[in-house]
Amino acid sequence: MIGRLTGTLAEKNPPQIVLDVHGVGYELDVPMSTFYNLPAAGEMLTLLTHFAVREDGHFLYGFLSEAERFAFRQLLKISGIGARTALSVLSGLSVGDLAAAVARQEVGRLTKIPGIGKKTAERLLLELKGKLADTTAAALPAAGDNSQDILNALMALGYNEREATAAMKPLPAGVGTSDGIRQALKLLSKV
């Protein structure tokens, strides 16, 4: 299975991109939440991936965060929800918004997404209940707007998301990115 790719962003044609990894161009479908945060073509990029093999082909999906990939995989587990619908859901709502909609059982929020009717929205709310709680922004510590940058840096250094999130919990609110990384690394080195 292909779990992560790092390379040069060669093409951007929503919702598909081409990532050049040492001369091999990987075509990936990405949710719009990832697409809007991509660097310019020609820049280096690391994406977490989900590789799907079906009778009609092999498909690769890319995500900037573990939370997006986790939500995508949870959506695929639901009967009747395919990759296109899962990408639509993640394109229409952030993972935090999706988790909030599930927690509050907000059918109306999901029906605003193209391709999601009332019955599908109700099934999504029922099937996802309690499964996205760990991916909400509330699960991240109060490290201010820099928390995602700190988390990404720690994960790039080889820590898994659970270790990185645990190390970020004691960080003070509003801590700078470099200070947050430094403090989190000190905590991780004591473990």
Side-chain angles (χ1 to χ4, degrees):
M1 178 187 283
I2 300 170
R4 181 178 70 189
L5 289 172
T6 298
T8 305
L9 183 58
E11 295 177 28
K12 292 167 53 171
N13 300 312
Q16 195 172 68
I17 65 166
V18 175
L19 191 64
D20 185 325
V21 181
H22 301 291
V24 178
Y26 289 91
E27 291 181 353
L28 297 104
D29 286 341
V30 298
M32 295 311 288
S33 54
T34 290
F35 189 86
Y36 292 138
N37 292 309
L38 291 175
E43 300 278 327
M44 288 298 290
L45 173 66
T46 297
L47 289 176
L48 299 170
T49 62
H50 176 82
F51 183 61
V53 178
R54 297 193 316 240
E55 61 187 44
D56 59 338
H58 298 175
F59 301 92
L60 199 54
Y61 303 95
F63 308 93
L64 282 174
S65 73
E66 181 59 41
E68 280 183 322
R69 182 170 68 174
F70 179 78
F72 179 80
R73 288 175 171 171
Q74 291 301 315
L75 287 163
L76 290 180
K77 290 178 183 178
I78 300 171
S79 175
I81 302 298
R84 289 279 160 223
T85 304
L87 285 177
S88 289
V89 170
L90 292 175
S91 294
L93 293 172
S94 70
V95 177
D97 290 342
L98 176 60
V102 170
R104 296 185 192 117
Q105 295 293 295
E106 295 174 327
V107 173
R109 233 169 148 181
L110 294 177
T111 56
K112 291 179 183 176
I113 299 168
I116 304 291
K118 186 176 181 187
K119 287 186 179 188
T120 302
E122 288 171 348
R123 189 170 65 244
L124 286 172
L125 293 175
L126 178 67
E127 295 282 337
L128 292 174
K129 192 170 187 174
K131 293 183 180 174
L132 296 178
D134 295 337
T135 63
T136 63
L140 287 174
D145 295 333
N146 301 320
S147 62
Q148 190 62 44
D149 293 335
I150 296 168
L151 180 67
N152 289 339
L154 293 172
M155 288 173 52
L157 290 170
Y159 295 99
N160 65 39
E161 188 170 8
R162 184 178 35 209
E163 292 169 325
T165 302
M168 291 172 56
K169 285 185 181 178
L171 297 180
V175 67
T177 303
S178 59
D179 287 336
I181 294 168
R182 194 174 303 113
Q183 291 175 30
L185 285 173
K186 282 181 184 176
L187 291 169
L188 287 165
S189 67
K190 293 177 183 177
V191 175

